[in-house]
Amino acid sequence: MTIERKIREHLHKEAETLECPPAISNRIEQSYSQYLQRKRSGKPMKKRLIGGIVAVAILIPSAAFAAPTLIDILTRTPMTAEQVKTDEVGKAALEKLYNAFPETKGFEIIDASNVQGAQTSIILQEKGGTGKKITLHTNGITGAIEHVIQENWEPKEKPLTALTDQEIMSKVNALIDKLYGNIEKYEFTMEEMENPNQKTLVLNYSTKGSTTPFYQVVVQGNSISVSLIGGETTSSNMKVEGFFSTNGKPDYFADAYLNDEKLFALLKISPTELKQELAEGKSVVEIAASRNVSKQQVIDVIAKTQADGQIQGEKNGDVPKSNRSNEEMLKAVEPKVLQIIEHKTETPSK
């Protein structure tokens, strides 16, 4: 049994005796917005799972960051405000934020951390400890802001969820438009999740003809949580969407890494065949082993593609220059690659 499984089972056992205070429950639901996005079937989060997440939050304070994996939590390194401002990724993320929302220049950095160069997370809030807050999770390789949470930007007397759907959509559109650019090319859908305690909306923005959202948004309470799902390009005849699934729904978190022609060539497998084998509950590592390919070979191929993409993006001016060597980029992306290739789709128990 892996250490992660042991920890998870222990926390679930402890969670059976925990009562989740409303304040913590709300914070957990906001922070784990990506989990909520995957629960679009309409079922509310199970009390036992909420309790398990609360147990993690109590034991590991850095769980306050949105939707981290267990390995991210255990390897997250705190950063000071000064370190953020001198860090290439952090500095570029702040510049994007300040250009999009000039008022945030007066905000304080109240928390920040880094995961082995793979992700930089920053939380800013209006001075005084109350009021508007914004959280950025930035890819340490590409420089893209992959997840942003905007909290308390509406008056308490009339929070976001008290607005009409049209007003909410306008607020979300404004956030995406300012931080990422023109959203007119995206098609839009909105659905309300079944949550008796709090109105929760899920919004998907997709390019025409695509089944994969480019942006996924969760609106809950007085917060907007935006996740950047798209943005990576592959040959049209090689691309597969939703390599993994969660609760029967496509899960796109690994697509930008697994849609790799060199990976398919290494494994001597088509994208569709890889997706089919993953659906059986296998990991990429296990699939590779069955084809006499080592874990390190898989890591090297995917990491190189990601690093090459970063270098090309810097040359094209699409992403900020990181001033990292190729070796440093490869080392920085490896933890994320490892997480993906060891991941398994949970298959229904027979």
Side-chain angles (χ1 to χ4, degrees):
M1 183 182 295
T2 65
I3 184 62
E4 289 190 26
R5 185 175 179 85
K6 289 180 181 179
I7 293 174
R8 182 169 64 249
E9 291 187 356
H10 173 73
L11 292 176
H12 279 171
K13 183 177 179 181
E14 292 297 318
E16 296 290 356
T17 62
L18 289 175
E19 288 296 327
C20 181
I24 294 181
S25 179
N26 290 339
R27 182 182 179 190
I28 296 299
E29 289 184 19
Q30 291 172 2
S31 297
Y32 281 75
S33 59
Q34 288 185 338
Y35 174 81
L36 291 175
Q37 292 164 11
R38 296 167 190 164
K39 296 288 284 182
R40 294 194 297 271
S41 60
K43 297 179 181 179
M45 295 177 75
K46 293 181 180 178
K47 179 181 177 182
R48 186 167 184 259
L49 180 56
I50 282 282
I53 298 174
V54 171
V56 175
I58 292 172
L59 292 173
I60 310 171
S62 57
F65 284 108
T69 62
L70 181 58
I71 186 64
D72 284 351
I73 294 173
L74 296 177
T75 59
R76 194 173 283 282
T77 303
M79 300 174 70
T80 65
E82 289 306 313
Q83 287 175 323
V84 171
K85 293 174 182 178
T86 56
D87 175 74
E88 290 294 333
V89 175
K91 185 166 60 175
L94 289 176
E95 185 177 342
K96 290 179 185 177
L97 176 65
Y98 295 156
N99 288 335
F101 301 97
E103 65 182 292
T104 58
K105 292 180 180 180
F107 287 18
E108 295 178 312
I109 297 175
I110 62 171
D111 206 343
S113 67
N114 179 278
V115 181
Q116 296 184 357
Q119 183 191 70
T120 296
S121 298
I122 312 168
I123 302 178
L124 302 94
Q125 188 170 35
E126 283 185 309
K127 292 182 179 180
T130 59
K132 296 179 180 180
K133 181 189 292 187
I134 193 160
T135 301
L136 307 174
H137 298 288
T138 305
N139 187 306
I141 304 300
T142 66
I145 297 176
E146 295 180 323
H147 190 200
V148 56
I149 307 172
Q150 190 183 67
E151 300 175 77
N152 303 326
W153 285 55
E154 298 300 315
K156 290 184 179 180
E157 299 74 24
K158 194 176 182 181
L160 276 166
T161 48
L163 304 178
T164 66
D165 287 355
Q166 185 62 41
E167 289 172 327
I168 290 173
M169 184 179 69
S170 296
K171 299 289 184 182
V172 174
N173 286 351
L175 172 57
I176 296 175
D177 192 66
K178 289 181 179 180
L179 201 56
Y180 294 104
N182 196 321
I183 63 167
E184 291 182 359
K185 65 179 180 179
Y186 300 106
E187 296 179 338
F188 160 82
T189 63
M190 176 192 290
E191 60 180 309
E192 183 171 353
M193 293 180 63
E194 196 174 307
N195 185 344
N197 299 318
Q198 192 173 34
K199 182 178 180 180
T200 302
L201 297 172
V202 176
L203 299 85
N204 287 313
Y205 292 79
S206 305
T207 55
K208 188 175 182 179
S210 175
T211 58
T212 306
F214 199 92
Y215 302 107
Q216 286 187 325
V217 185
V218 172
V219 177
Q220 186 178 62
N222 210 7
S223 73
I224 300 174
S225 175
V226 179
S227 293
L228 175 63
I229 305 298
E232 300 294 333
T233 58
T234 57
S235 299
S236 59
N237 62 332
M238 299 296 286
K239 188 172 183 179
V240 166
E241 298 177 337
F243 276 99
F244 293 106
S245 62
T246 301
N247 298 315
K249 299 286 185 179
D251 195 330
Y252 309 105
F253 81 98
D255 288 9
Y257 291 83
L258 297 185
N259 268 314
D260 187 327
E261 295 181 29
K262 293 179 181 178
L263 173 64
F264 302 144
L266 175 68
L267 299 180
K268 295 182 174 62
I269 194 172
S270 72
T272 302
E273 289 171 335
L274 177 59
K275 182 176 179 177
Q276 289 171 344
E277 292 201 33
L278 291 172
E280 296 171 3
K282 302 175 185 177
S283 68
V284 175
V285 171
E286 291 171 341
I287 295 170
S290 70
R291 296 166 180 266
N292 298 316
V293 176
S294 70
K295 178 194 293 188
Q296 191 58 51
Q297 285 177 289
V298 174
I299 292 174
D300 291 345
V301 164
I302 299 176
K304 186 176 186 305
T305 297
Q306 296 296 313
D308 289 347
Q310 167 71 10
I311 292 171
Q312 189 60 48
E314 290 181 5
K315 289 181 180 178
N316 296 340
D318 298 329
V319 296
K321 291 187 177 181
S322 63
N323 294 323
R324 292 180 180 178
S325 67
N326 188 63
E327 291 72 20
E328 289 173 327
M329 290 183 186
L330 291 172
K331 185 177 180 181
V333 79
E334 281 191 7
K336 180 65 175 179
V337 173
L338 184 62
Q339 171 200 343
I340 288 171
I341 66 176
E342 291 184 338
H343 181 78
K344 295 182 181 182
T345 286
E346 292 187 9
T347 55
S349 57
K350 298 181 180 179

